[in-house]
Amino acid sequence: MSTRLTSTIIDNAKESVQAYINTVAAINSDLDVVLSQLRLSYVGDASDGYMEFYKTRIQPAVTENLIGTGASLTANILSMLDNIKQQLLDTVDPQLGDYNRNPDSGDT
């Protein structure tokens, strides 16, 4: 069974990606609070080393690479969805629709 791609499908996909971004950001914020509280209880080289690892490896992976607004995975997915909507649905589909309605009125 085939499904026809519509603007609604693209908009729903974008809303789902945004909900994912919001959820990951909230979980990340909660994790920051937990780690800050743990840091108050544990001091020393191991604690310092873990916090450095967390700040230099884990945080960038979540913020910059996963949910950031620049070149992150989710930013690229949102961009891809925008491009699909613009190129296929807003440009190609209406042009083909017009041609299919009036095939003798223009060039192929």
Side-chain angles (χ1 to χ4, degrees):
M1 179 176 168
S2 65
T3 301
R4 183 175 165 208
L5 183 64
T6 64
S7 292
T8 302
I9 292 171
I10 299 291
D11 292 340
N12 289 343
K14 287 180 65 178
E15 287 175 16
S16 295
V17 172
Q18 192 57 54
Y20 175 80
I21 291 169
N22 295 341
T23 301
V24 170
I27 292 170
N28 188 49
S29 179
D30 292 346
L31 180 59
D32 279 342
V33 170
V34 168
L35 288 176
S36 294
Q37 291 171 348
L38 283 173
R39 183 85 162 97
L40 296 175
S41 301
Y42 298 100
V43 293
D45 284 341
S47 176
D48 293 343
Y50 180 76
M51 289 307 294
E52 183 178 332
F53 172 77
Y54 176 75
K55 294 291 183 191
T56 61
R57 303 290 182 167
I58 296 173
Q59 280 295 89
V62 171
T63 55
E64 296 167 25
N65 298 336
L66 183 60
I67 62 169
T69 57
S72 71
L73 175 64
T74 52
N76 285 324
I77 291 171
L78 289 171
S79 177
M80 178 188 68
L81 291 168
D82 285 337
N83 287 334
I84 289 170
K85 186 176 179 183
Q86 179 196 21
Q87 296 298 319
L88 291 178
L89 299 177
D90 296 342
T91 303
V92 173
D93 196 41
Q95 289 174 352
L96 286 175
D98 290 342
Y99 177 76
N100 288 337
R101 283 183 203 90
N102 303 302
D104 297 325
S105 67
D107 296 328
T108 54

